[in-house]
Amino acid sequence: MSPAHARSVRLRRRHALPGWLAGLALAAGTGTPALADWDDDPWADDPWEEEEEQWLPFEVDGFVELAGGHHLRDNRLLDKDYNLAEARLRLEARGDWRRFDLRVRGDAVADQVTEEVRGELREARVAFPLGQRLDMRVGRQVLAWGTGDLLFINDLFPKDFNSFLTGRDEDYLQGPSDAVRGTWYGDNVTLDLVWTPVFEPDDYPDGERLSFFNPLDGERTATSPAADDPDTFPDDGELAARLTHRIGSTELAGYFYRGFFPQPEQRLNDRFTHARLNAYGASIRDRIGPGIANAEVGYYDSVDNRDGERSGDVPNSEARLLLGYTWEAVTNLDVGLQYYLEWLQDHDDLESAWKDQNRDIDRLPEEYRQVVTTRLTYSMWRDNLTWSLFAFYSPDDADYYLRPSVRYRASDALTYSVGGNLFGGDNEHTFYGQFERDSNLYARVRYRF
């Protein structure tokens, strides 16, 4: 399967819609109503209400949005001087019938970067209770958990980094999955199980909107790597679990994941694929002093490289740590700080493999990679004007990523947003440094209806 074909298959799987109106989609928010409350509805058997539901089976709303982002630096690897130029129509529909909650949500996008009009189905699912303790949610849905702010350890659900790094709304960072989710409510714990029948990879930079560093060629490129996604049902599915417990104000959680690394890091001959991954983790969150503190740990078990002997071709196992604290420093000014650590296991084996493959030792990944982040958010004019800055900095890679933005809500319907994605670093092979030439300024105008 060629890279273009693989990407085409992936996009078709994500965007396959029953006609263009389905691309505009129908439907709803991400929250699940308190299904157990439906059992207490005194009007559940009212015949007049049933008749009304037939006339008004669902609610519809949405928005239209214009968005554009222009490069700040010349990037000769890309054909265009911009990586965001699109008109977007969102339709959301939601309704309920008896004990079933139905939601559909999707976009129609006229995209000047890819020179196409496409549909993006974000959500199409049904939620319903099974008995008194179990809620089910089946279909296309956006999934997320964990305690990090734009840093993820145990949240291994798909991410859309092309949207995040070019200036779309942050909501688009979380990609949709075709999955079955069950939530069981015990007396002291809550258990979430998510089964994704076919693996959903990240939407990662592949040269279409963002150039990137290719470690095999040793240079930045805009040519998509030859990559294949595991797509065999049911062998290439994913299973994720979360067990949560609360003690007073303290939230505790344990996590498990079985599937694949979200991005293609395993090399097979001249192609890449996604290595098998088991992940285990835990988190805690509680109020401390004037703010909220959180901590999260995770261990990424690279199933096919547990002893490090296949380093260089298969990703090594990793241990990850995240510490965070958020508080209101002064009135209307919120501050969030995070410390993040990746500890690459069997680093000596990776270094040996790097030398055997005659790869540039100066570009060998660090055994320890640290990242510190800051989020500053200041609101004024009754929260109608919001200033924000999110900054990533890695002292080990000596690179950074800044996300300044300003959002003005002119009315309940009309919102203006401007901002930037500013990358930099000492080297072009590091995580943020590779995107330095993709830095941009963007603007969005959204009208809700």
Side-chain angles (χ1 to χ4, degrees), residues 249-251 284-295 324-330 333-337:
S249 62
T250 305
E251 300 174 4
I284 183 172
R285 178 161 46 198
D286 200 358
R287 176 172 291 280
I288 297 179
I292 296 175
N294 64 283
Y325 190 70
T326 304
W327 78 104
E328 186 179 47
V330 297
L333 175 62
D334 294 329
V335 179
L337 301 175

Side-chain angles (χ1 to χ4, degrees), residues 155-166:
D155 180 350
L156 287 160
F157 302 115
K159 308 292 182 298
D160 183 350
F161 288 104
N162 283 302
S163 291
F164 180 66
L165 300 175
T166 56

Side-chain angles (χ1 to χ4, degrees), residues 204-270:
Y204 49 86
D206 58 1
E208 189 170 61
R209 298 177 185 275
L210 300 157
S211 56
F212 61 94
F213 184 81
N214 186 328
L216 296 182
D217 298 335
E219 60 183 11
R220 290 175 54 254
T221 181
T223 302
S224 178
D228 300 315
D229 298 334
D231 58 1
T232 302
F233 173 82
D235 295 340
D236 294 335
E238 301 171 271
L239 180 65
R242 180 182 66 171
L243 185 67
T244 57
H245 177 58
R246 179 184 289 271
I247 303 175
S249 62
T250 305
E251 300 174 4
L252 303 167
Y255 306 89
F256 168 75
Y257 171 83
R258 183 180 185 278
F260 299 88
F261 279 84
Q263 299 188 20
E265 302 178 60
Q266 179 173 346
R267 189 169 60 170
L268 290 176
N269 300 319
D270 294 329

Side-chain angles (χ1 to χ4, degrees), residues 117-131:
V117 177
R118 64 177 182 275
E120 297 179 354
L121 185 59
R122 295 279 295 173
E123 189 172 23
R125 57 83 169 166
V126 56
F128 54 92
L130 284 179

Side-chain angles (χ1 to χ4, degrees), residues 215-216 265-267 302 305-318 342-369 429:
L216 296 182
E265 302 178 60
Q266 179 173 346
R267 189 169 60 170
S302 183
N305 189 29
R306 284 175 171 155
D307 53 9
E309 292 186 353
R310 298 184 64 189
S311 297
D313 294 327
V314 180
N316 289 38
S317 298
E318 292 182 25
E342 295 176 356
W343 179 14
L344 201 58
Q345 307 294 292
D346 302 308
H347 191 265
D348 292 342
D349 292 313
L350 180 61
E351 184 174 357
S352 297
W354 211 265
K355 293 177 180 177
D356 293 342
Q357 296 172 1
N358 296 318
R359 299 168 71 174
D360 189 346
I361 200 67
D362 291 336
R363 292 169 179 158
L364 177 71
E366 300 286 346
E367 181 176 4
Y368 299 96
R369 176 175 177 263
H429 67 276

